Amino acid sequence: EAWGIGATFSQYLTKRTPFFTDVQRDYAIFPEDVRNEWSAGGFVTWAPIRGKAAFYPLAVIHMRLYVKAGAGVLRTTTDLHPAGDVGLGIQFLFLHYFALTVELEDQMYVETYATRDEFKNQFLVRAGITFLIPVL
C-alpha cells in the first residue's frame, strides 16, 4: 500500500476578459495570450507516512501523506506540450476505495512563443475525490 500508480485529467477554466484586453492594449504587454486548456498524464506515488485520526464517537479516518511524480501532456491555446510534475499530498480515506485528496503540485513544461521558448513552472493546489482500485 505504500506505492501507487494513477492517471489524471484536468480541465482548465480560463477565458479572456475585457480587462485583460484593455491592459494588453493600453500598456503593450502580454503580446501573446497563451492559456492552458487541459492536461492529462500518469503518475506514481509513494506514501511513507500513514496514520489515523479518531473523531470519537463518530469515526476513525485513515490518512496517508504521499509524494508524487509524473509525466503527461498539457494543451495550451498554441499546441500540445510534454509536461512533468512533482507534488505532495494527503488522502483522507473514508472507505477502502474512496478518499478525499488534497495536494500541492508543481507542473513544468516549455511554452513556445513566436520569438522564444520559455520554461513554465506552475504551482497548483488541487482537491478532489479519489477512487482507489487495489490490484494485488
Side-chain angles (χ1 to χ4, degrees), residues 6-65:
T8 184
F9 176 82
S10 297
Q11 180 71 44
Y12 297 92
L13 305 174
T14 61
K15 70 177 196 172
R16 186 180 191 133
T17 63
F19 178 71
F20 179 88
T21 305
D22 293 343
V23 169
Q24 188 179 31
R25 182 192 64 241
D26 294 344
Y27 298 100
I29 57 174
F30 309 123
E32 297 176 72
D33 179 22
V34 178
R35 289 169 278 138
N36 295 348
E37 293 180 349
W38 56 264
S39 67
F43 59 88
V44 296
T45 62
W46 178 57
I49 301 172
R50 289 179 293 219
K52 44 183 120 169
F55 297 99
Y56 185 78
L58 299 174
V60 174
I61 297 179
H62 293 262
M63 299 177 290
R64 68 182 207 123
L65 184 66

Side-chain angles (χ1 to χ4, degrees), residues 3-9 40-46 64 66-72 85-87 91 101 103 105 126 130-132:
W3 288 92
I5 59 171
T8 184
F9 176 82
F43 59 88
V44 296
T45 62
W46 178 57
R64 68 182 207 123
Y66 63 90
V67 292
K68 167 184 174 178
D85 60 76
V86 293
Q91 287 182 328
T101 302
E103 67 183 27
E105 182 180 316
R126 287 191 177 153
T130 302
F131 296 98
L132 306 167

Side-chain angles (χ1 to χ4, degrees), residues 81-124:
H81 306 283
D85 60 76
V86 293
L88 176 70
I90 188 167
Q91 287 182 328
F92 301 96
L93 292 102
F94 295 107
L95 299 171
H96 291 293
Y97 57 88
F98 177 73
L100 175 67
T101 302
V102 178
E103 67 183 27
L104 306 173
E105 182 180 316
D106 186 15
Q107 187 175 49
M108 299 159 279
Y109 67 99
V110 176
E111 179 64 63
T112 303
Y113 294 101
T115 58
R116 71 197 184 287
D117 290 345
E118 188 173 308
F119 178 75
K120 296 287 188 174
N121 192 10
Q122 301 181 126
F123 185 71
L124 308 170

